Amino acid sequence: MANIREIAKEAGVSVATVSRVLNGHPYVKEEKRNAVWEAVEKLNYTKNINAVHLAKGKTSIIGVVLPYLNHPYFATVLEGISKEALRHRYHLLVFQTNYDVEKELEALEMMRMKQVDGLIICSHVADWGVIGEYKQDGPIVLCEDVRDQDFLSVYIDHYEAFTKALRYLIQKGHRHIGYCIGRTTGANSKARQAAYYDTLRQIGVEPRKEWIFDRCLYMEDGKRVIHEWMSLPEKPSALLVSSDQVAAGIVLWGKKEGVKIPADLAIVSFDNHPISEPLQITTIELPLALMGKKAFRLIYHYIETGNIARKTEKLSVRFIERSSV
Amino acid sequence: MANIREIAKEAGVSVATVSRVLNGHPYVKEEKRNAVWEAVEKLNYTKNINAVHLAKGKTSIIGVVLPYLNHPYFATVLEGISKEALRHRYHLLVFQTNYDVEKELEALEMMRMKQVDGLIICSHVADWGVIGEYKQDGPIVLCEDVRDQDFLSVYIDHYEAFTKALRYLIQKGHRHIGYCIGRTTGANSKARQAAYYDTLRQIGVEPRKEWIFDRCLYMEDGKRVIHEWMSLPEKPSALLVSSDQVAAGIVLWGKKEGVKIPADLAIVSFDNHPISEPLQITTIELPLALMGKKAFRLIYHYIETGNIARKTEKLSVRFIERSSV
DNA sequence: TTGTAAGCGTTATCAA
DNA sequence: TTGATAACGCTTACAA
C-alpha cells in the first residue's frame, strides 16, 4: 500500500503539502492540490488511520460499556449513543461485560492505552474507586445515578420514578406490594430498593423479602415470577416490575394460569416499550435513547472543548396510566 | 505519559528488552525482567495501543455493519459475534447504517484505513460490486445469502425456511396466503419473495400484491398490518410474518379488534423469540446468535491463519408448531 | 505558499 | 541474551 511519501514523490511535492491537501488545509496552490489528488487516485492511496491516531493522540472513538447487547434497555441506550456519534463522525467500540469486573477493567484500560477517547458506562459492577482512577486517562460518563460520587453522568432518577409508582399503587388501595429487579447490586436497583423501603415505612407497612423478585431481565423471567407468585402462601396484590419485557411475561403467562390483571395482581412497570400498549400495562416511560444521546453529547463536548458544560443531568420520566392497576 | 524509552532508561535496559518483557518474550534475564516491571510500576506506564497498531499493521478490531442496534434480530446476531470476539480478545467497532449506503461505504473505508482487521456485514444495501472492491483490504463476511456472489458468508436459508412455512400452511388448507417483510430490497427479503412466488405458482395460485406488507420490523408495524388486513375487501386467511415481534403485534392488536387467531387469520412467523411462546405463535427458529458466532469464527480463522476454512455455511432452522395455524 | 525534519510510541530485524 | 536502529505512516512546528 502506498504511503504519504510515495504520494509526495508522485505529485512532486513534500509530504507536508500532501497532508495539507488531504486534510483540506488552506494555503495550497490549486495546481499542487490537483497534482496531489491525481497521485492519490493513481496510486489508489488511503490514509493509515493508526498513524493518524498516533500522531494526533486521539482516535475519535468512544467506548461504550454495557452488560448485554440484546436487552431492549441497553440496546436502546446504545442506539441513542450511536445516532449522535454518527452525526459527529465518531465511532463506537462496544464492551459487552456481562457484569464481569474483568471486562469492565479491560474497557478502562483501553482508554489508558488511548484506544478510545472516552468511555460511556451504561451499567457497572466495579468499585467507584477503581473507576475513578481512570478519570485521569479520559472523560467517563455514567448513565446511572452516581449520587455523591464525583463523575459526569446522565441518568434517570429511579428513586423518584419508583416512589411515584408506589404512591400510585398505595393511592389505589394497595398495601401488599412487591417488586421485581434486574439484579440486587447496581445503582438503579439500589435506588429502587431504597424507594421501596422508604415509601413502605412511611405508610407503616413492613417490607417483605419474599415479595422481592431478583434477576428479572427478560420476558422468560416474567414466567418464573408469576409462577413463584402463585406458589406464595401470602401474595402481594401489586407488583412493581423492572421492565415491560418482564411485565409482559408476567401478564401473558399469568393469563394462561387464569391470573386476572389487575383484579388478582396489579402491575406497574418501566420503559413504555411498544409491547406495553396492546397489553394495557401501566408503565413509566424511560427516555433511554435520549439518555444515550445526552451521554454522548456530554463526552463529546468535553473532548472537543476541554471543559465541562454540565456535570450531571437528571432525566424526567413520564407516567402512563393504562389498565393494569 | 511515560513511553517505552523512559521505561528503558529507568530500568537500565534497551527499548527492545522492554518490549520483550512487555510482550512476554523469552530470553530475558530474570533480573532485567524484574527491573522493567518495577519501572513500569514506578512510572505508571501503559502501552500506547495506536503505536502497536501502526507497528503491527493490525488492530484486533472487527467492524460490524448492521442497520439497527435496537432490533432484536440484529441485537442477537451482534451479541453472538460479541461473545465470540471476547473469547479471542478481539474488539468490536459497530457501524449502524440505517440502510444508508454512505454509512456502509464508510465502514468499508475504515477497513482500507486499517481501523479494523475485517468486517462482518449483517445486512447491506450497497452493490455487490462496490463491496467486492474492498476484498483486497481485508476479509469480509456476510450474514446473508450471497448466492452466486463470491463472498465469505454464514447465512440462514430464507428461501427454504419460507418455503417450508408456506407448504405447512398449504397443507393445512390455506390458499389465500400473504406475507410481511422487513424491506423489499435485501437478500433475505428477496429470497422470501422468490419462495412465495415459486411455491404459489406450483399450486396454481396467483400471488397478490395487496397481500404483501412491506416495512415490517417492529411490534408497532404489526398493529398497522392487522388494521390494513381488516380493511382489505378480500383477506388472506394466513400470513407469513417476518418476525415474532411483528407477529406479536398482529396477534395482540388483532385480539383487541376481535380477530380470532387462527380461525380468522393463521400466522407463522420467524425467530422463536421468547414472546412467541406465551402467545402460542407457530414460528421458525432462526439461529441468530449462532450465525454471529460462526461469522466471527470465519473471519478470525482467516485473519489468524491467512486461509479460508470454509467459504460459506448454511444454517438450518427449526420449525416450532404451536397453535396460531 | 512550501519544504524540512522532529515527533508520536511501538515492533522486529540484525548483529553482537 | 541483549542493544541499535530501522521501519510503521502520519501531523505539525519551524524556517524559508
Side-chain angles (χ1 to χ4, degrees):
Chain A
M1 273 286 277
N3 60 28
I4 199 172
R5 248 178 303 273
E6 294 179 51
I7 300 299
K9 192 187 289 176
E10 177 71 27
V13 299
S14 71
V15 293
T17 298
V18 176
S19 178
R20 287 188 191 103
V21 173
L22 258 29
N23 295 295
H25 291 176
Y27 307 129
V28 180
K29 263 216 198 109
E30 188 69 16
E31 54 193 86
K32 299 220 174 192
R33 193 177 293 279
N34 294 146
V36 167
W37 284 122
E38 271 172 36
V40 164
E41 198 77 11
K42 182 173 171 193
L43 301 184
N44 191 25
Y45 167 82
T46 309
K47 269 191 206 182
N48 180 319
I49 211 164
N50 294 309
V52 177
H53 292 340
L54 178 59
K56 288 202 162 171
K58 78 182 287 269
T59 60
S60 297
I61 298 177
I62 298 297
V64 180
V65 176
L66 31 65
Y68 319 112
L69 285 165
N70 73 346
H71 187 286
Y73 181 99
F74 296 107
T76 307
V77 177
L78 181 60
E79 171 117 358
I81 298 170
S82 167
K83 283 217 173 125
E84 194 65 10
L86 232 48
R87 288 192 44 222
H88 297 283
R89 323 214 85 227
Y90 265 67
H91 288 111
L92 259 32
L93 201 60
V94 297
F95 296 95
Q96 185 183 8
T97 66
N98 286 293
Y99 283 128
D100 176 351
V101 185
E102 293 297 317
K103 299 276 172 275
E104 287 182 17
L105 290 180
E106 203 192 305
L108 290 159
E109 279 297 325
M110 289 305 261
M111 184 161 73
R112 282 203 74 194
M113 297 197 276
K114 302 195 177 300
Q115 171 69 267
V116 297
D117 296 342
L119 232 35
I120 296 176
I121 300 180
C122 300
S123 189
H124 75 283
V125 285
D127 290 342
W128 288 117
V130 175
I131 297 175
E133 283 172 26
Y134 289 88
K135 279 196 282 194
Q136 58 186 72
D137 302 305
I140 300 175
V141 170
L142 274 292
C143 289
E144 287 183 300
D145 187 348
V146 299
R147 293 279 144 167
D148 47 330
Q149 299 293 329
D150 185 40
F151 282 98
L152 297 181
S153 66
V154 182
Y155 68 98
I156 292 159
D157 190 338
H158 287 276
Y159 184 94
E160 187 191 296
F162 223 65
T163 304
K164 200 184 276 186
L166 279 164
R167 289 256 164 74
Y168 177 77
L169 287 172
I170 291 163
Q171 175 227 316
K172 287 283 187 176
H174 291 280
R175 287 297 176 275
H176 296 355
I177 304 171
Y179 71 89
C180 303
I181 211 161
R183 55 189 184 119
T184 40
T185 53
N188 291 348
S189 297
K190 278 187 181 148
R192 291 174 171 186
Q193 193 171 36
Y196 180 72
Y197 280 87
D198 291 354
T199 308
L200 256 52
R201 236 157 239 158
Q202 277 167 28
I203 59 160
V205 170
E206 197 58 32
R208 301 222 204 162
K209 282 244 168 80
E210 67 273 26
W211 290 355
I212 302 175
F213 300 88
D214 194 13
R215 304 189 319 283
C216 293
L217 287 164
Y218 301 96
M219 200 171 285
E220 307 90 292
D221 299 316
K223 179 179 184 181
R224 194 190 73 228
V225 168
I226 194 68
H227 286 135
E228 283 184 24
W229 176 85
M230 285 168 54
S231 69
L232 241 32
E234 278 194 283
K235 301 175 179 38
S237 65
L239 231 40
L240 235 53
V241 182
S242 41
S243 77
D244 287 333
Q245 296 297 306
V246 177
I250 293 175
V251 169
L252 291 172
W253 287 104
K255 190 167 289 176
K256 298 183 100 62
E257 304 285 353
V259 178
K260 301 249 180 304
I261 309 286
D264 300 333
L265 179 63
I267 282 179
V268 176
S269 69
F270 295 87
D271 284 356
N272 192 28
H273 184 277
I275 196 172
S276 64
E277 200 186 346
L279 293 177
Q280 280 298 306
I281 296 171
T282 293
T283 190
I284 294 178
E285 184 179 84
L286 305 181
L288 300 176
L290 182 67
M291 183 167 70
K293 178 180 180 169
K294 296 219 171 204
F296 181 85
R297 283 197 176 170
L298 211 61
I299 214 161
Y300 176 77
H301 184 267
Y302 176 80
I303 291 171
E304 297 290 315
T305 70
N307 49 49
I308 297 165
R310 58 149 60 76
K311 203 165 157 47
T312 246
E313 188 170 0
K314 190 160 78 176
L315 268 26
S316 54
V317 299
R318 197 159 66 95
F319 192 88
I320 297 173
E321 194 168 8
R322 298 210 181 93
S323 53
S324 63
V325 176
Chain B
M1 272 284 279
N3 61 26
I4 200 172
R5 248 179 302 274
E6 294 179 51
I7 300 299
K9 191 186 290 176
E10 177 72 28
V13 300
S14 71
V15 293
T17 297
V18 176
S19 179
R20 286 188 192 103
V21 173
L22 257 30
N23 294 295
H25 291 176
Y27 307 130
V28 181
K29 261 214 199 109
E30 187 69 17
E31 53 194 85
K32 299 218 174 193
R33 192 177 294 279
N34 293 146
V36 168
W37 284 123
E38 271 172 35
V40 164
E41 197 76 12
K42 182 173 171 194
L43 302 184
N44 190 26
Y45 166 82
T46 308
K47 269 191 207 184
N48 180 319
I49 211 165
N50 295 309
V52 177
H53 291 341
L54 177 59
K56 288 202 163 173
K58 79 182 285 268
T59 60
S60 297
I61 298 177
I62 298 296
V64 181
V65 176
L66 32 65
Y68 318 111
L69 285 164
N70 72 348
H71 187 286
Y73 181 98
F74 296 107
T76 308
V77 177
L78 181 59
E79 172 117 359
I81 297 170
S82 167
K83 283 217 173 124
E84 194 65 10
L86 233 48
R87 287 193 44 223
H88 297 282
R89 322 216 85 226
Y90 265 66
H91 288 110
L92 258 33
L93 201 60
V94 298
F95 296 96
Q96 184 183 7
T97 66
N98 287 292
Y99 283 127
D100 175 350
V101 185
E102 293 297 317
K103 299 274 172 276
E104 286 182 18
L105 290 180
E106 202 192 305
L108 290 159
E109 279 298 325
M110 288 306 261
M111 184 161 73
R112 282 202 76 194
M113 297 198 275
K114 302 194 176 303
Q115 171 69 265
V116 298
D117 295 342
L119 231 36
I120 295 176
I121 300 180
C122 300
S123 189
H124 75 282
V125 284
D127 290 342
W128 288 117
V130 175
I131 298 175
E133 283 171 27
Y134 289 89
K135 280 197 282 195
Q136 59 187 72
D137 302 306
I140 300 175
V141 171
L142 274 291
C143 289
E144 288 184 298
D145 187 346
V146 299
R147 293 280 145 166
D148 46 329
Q149 299 293 328
D150 185 40
F151 282 99
L152 298 181
S153 67
V154 183
Y155 68 98
I156 291 159
D157 189 338
H158 287 275
Y159 184 93
E160 186 191 296
F162 224 64
T163 304
K164 200 184 274 186
L166 279 164
R167 290 256 163 74
Y168 176 78
L169 286 172
I170 291 163
Q171 173 227 318
K172 288 282 187 176
H174 292 280
R175 287 295 176 277
H176 295 356
I177 305 172
Y179 72 89
C180 303
I181 211 161
R183 53 188 185 121
T184 39
T185 54
N188 292 348
S189 296
K190 277 185 181 149
R192 291 175 171 186
Q193 194 171 36
Y196 179 73
Y197 281 86
D198 291 353
T199 308
L200 255 52
R201 238 157 236 159
Q202 277 167 29
I203 59 161
V205 170
E206 197 57 33
R208 300 221 204 163
K209 282 244 168 82
E210 68 273 27
W211 290 355
I212 302 175
F213 301 88
D214 194 12
R215 304 187 321 283
C216 293
L217 287 163
Y218 300 96
M219 199 170 285
E220 306 91 292
D221 299 315
K223 179 179 184 180
R224 194 191 72 228
V225 169
I226 194 68
H227 286 134
E228 283 185 23
W229 177 86
M230 285 169 53
S231 69
L232 242 31
E234 278 193 284
K235 301 174 180 37
S237 66
L239 231 40
L240 235 53
V241 183
S242 40
S243 77
D244 287 332
Q245 296 296 307
V246 178
I250 293 176
V251 170
L252 291 172
W253 288 103
K255 190 167 288 176
K256 299 183 100 64
E257 305 285 354
V259 178
K260 301 249 180 302
I261 310 285
D264 300 332
L265 179 64
I267 282 178
V268 176
S269 68
F270 294 87
D271 285 357
N272 191 28
H273 185 276
I275 197 172
S276 64
E277 199 186 346
L279 293 177
Q280 280 297 304
I281 296 172
T282 293
T283 191
I284 294 180
E285 185 179 83
L286 305 180
L288 300 176
L290 182 68
M291 184 166 70
K293 178 179 179 170
K294 297 219 170 204
F296 181 84
R297 283 196 177 171
L298 211 61
I299 214 160
Y300 177 76
H301 183 268
Y302 177 80
I303 290 172
E304 298 289 316
T305 71
N307 49 48
I308 296 164
R310 59 150 60 75
K311 203 163 157 48
T312 246
E313 188 169 0
K314 190 160 79 175
L315 268 27
S316 54
V317 300
R318 198 159 64 95
F319 192 88
I320 298 173
E321 194 169 7
R322 298 210 180 94
S323 52
S324 63
V325 177

